[in-house]
Amino acid sequence: MIILTGKKPLFKLCAIDTFSFIPVSIATAVFGGITIWLHLRDNGIMLFTGALTVLMLCIIIYSVYCCIFVKLHVFEDGFYYKNGFAKGKFFKYSEITEAAANQKHNPNGSTSYCFRFTTSDGTKYDFTCPMSQSDGIDYMIDIINNQ
């Protein structure tokens, strides 16, 4: 990203807050420990707790994927939107025809900030980040709307 513009980003936004790893990691450790304990006691319910452990591990793997590969880096002249492995593009603010942000309530009770933008060729993109990272999105929307 720095190679693209030669400048450091003003804001680095990640799709998932890294604090969210703590509760999932604790739940994975608890379910994993219970599964091992039930296995040592030859209890068949270990299949259920083992399945919950695998589910929690899948959530952790998805969260790590989002933290590494789903990002938005905000620069003075544009932003770099990366939405997957080797899927990234730099957009200049002049290429964006429409931009909006709104709050989104998640099923777990938390609130996210959703940034939607449309490019001049009509392609629509969405980026969701935690509310704690909304400053970068507000900065971009101010620049795009004041063009």
Side-chain angles (χ1 to χ4, degrees), residues 57-96:
L57 283 173
C58 290
I59 291 171
I60 289 174
I61 291 169
Y62 177 73
S63 298
V64 168
Y65 171 82
C66 285
C67 278
I68 294 173
F69 297 117
V70 181
K71 295 182 179 239
L72 189 77
H73 290 242
V74 181
F75 297 93
E76 291 178 8
D77 56 342
F79 58 94
Y80 181 77
Y81 176 63
K82 184 176 182 182
N83 61 346
F85 179 72
K87 293 181 187 176
K89 185 174 179 185
F90 185 80
F91 295 98
K92 292 189 178 218
Y93 293 123
S94 58
E95 296 175 7
I96 308 302

Side-chain angles (χ1 to χ4, degrees), residues 114-146:
C114 187
F115 173 58
R116 292 184 172 97
F117 63 96
T118 307
T119 59
S120 56
D121 63 354
T123 308
K124 295 182 179 185
Y125 297 92
D126 291 339
F127 179 78
T128 303
C129 69
M131 286 296 293
S132 61
Q133 300 177 3
S134 64
D135 293 343
I137 292 175
D138 292 337
Y139 174 81
M140 288 189 304
I141 289 178
D142 287 343
I143 290 177
I144 292 168
N145 290 339
N146 291 330

